[in-house]
Amino acid sequence: MSTGGSLPAMLPRIRPLGRSRLRFGAGLVVPVLAMAMLLGGCDVDNPNAVPSPADFGGIANELLKRGIGIDHAVAGDAGCNDATLTPTAIGFDARGLDQPTVVRIHLYAFKDKATFDRLRSSVDACARSFVTDPATYEAVDAPPFVVTGQGPWGPQFEAAMRAGLTEAASPGASSPVPSASSAEPSASSAAP
């Protein structure tokens, strides 16, 4: 059967975009470009960056392996109104080993050691708002992480907290067996 001697064009016909389609496309491009620029501007001081080398799941796993149970984790719970610390903080209840009561712990997970060094004193200043007895304030440093809370903590609990944080701060390293001296509060464990 013949179609009349000529075939229609084989290329698809491209319709010009109407104004509504152009506006819709432009409406998508602007927010996408703005988001790309915003994310591109985030750099060294980005407190929302996943802490290196472990995230909260890795830290919690290390603590659980050492007998510290965790409940009621809340992201952004710094224990104080410090806009710089809040994005780095996670508050949680901890218990286990020789810790006779549940204690509220505030974890500050900084991006790197330089950020830890720059903001570490802010952690102690923040603790002044939630510590009820400065003589028993507890803090464990394992850069880029810091945990703080009201003490006193049991020596085994504190040693396990220190070992878990240290392992989370340097994945792949073997966990040292805590010595009697590692259960002693560090210089950073002084009252805020």
Side-chain angles (χ1 to χ4, degrees):
M1 191 187 279
S2 172
T3 61
S6 68
L7 294 174
M10 299 302 279
L11 296 175
R13 185 171 169 209
I14 299 174
R15 294 183 358 209
L17 294 177
R19 285 183 184 236
S20 64
R21 281 187 162 180
L22 286 173
R23 273 187 289 227
F24 176 76
L28 288 177
V29 170
V30 172
V32 169
L33 286 176
M35 183 63 78
M37 290 172 54
L38 178 66
L39 292 175
C42 297
D43 197 49
V44 175
D45 291 334
N46 180 2
N48 294 324
V50 175
S52 179
D55 60 9
F56 181 70
I59 294 168
N61 187 44
E62 291 300 329
L63 297 178
L64 290 169
K65 286 194 302 191
R66 289 164 175 78
I68 297 177
I70 295 174
D71 287 318
H72 306 106
V74 178
D77 179 6
C80 67
N81 288 330
D82 184 321
T84 304
L85 292 179
T86 298
T88 71
I90 299 173
F92 59 91
D93 293 339
R95 68 192 181 297
L97 303 169
D98 61 346
Q99 181 59 36
T101 59
V102 172
V103 62
R104 187 71 178 169
I105 302 290
H106 297 279
L107 164 71
Y108 306 91
F110 298 110
K111 180 180 177 181
D112 53 30
K113 174 89 166 67
T115 306
F116 169 91
D117 291 341
R118 189 177 75 249
L119 296 175
R120 178 57 182 92
S121 63
S122 298
V123 171
D124 291 329
C126 176
R128 288 185 186 101
S129 68
F130 64 81
V131 169
T132 57
D133 181 3
T136 59
Y137 169 63
E138 300 277 358
V140 173
D141 292 9
F145 309 121
V146 181
V147 292
T148 63
Q150 181 63 62
W153 296 348
Q156 292 174 348
F157 178 86
E158 184 175 350
M161 182 71 70
R162 185 176 310 283
L165 275 183
T166 300
E167 182 66 19
S170 56
S174 60
S175 297
V177 176
S179 65
S181 63
S182 68
E184 296 299 316
S186 67
S188 64
S189 296

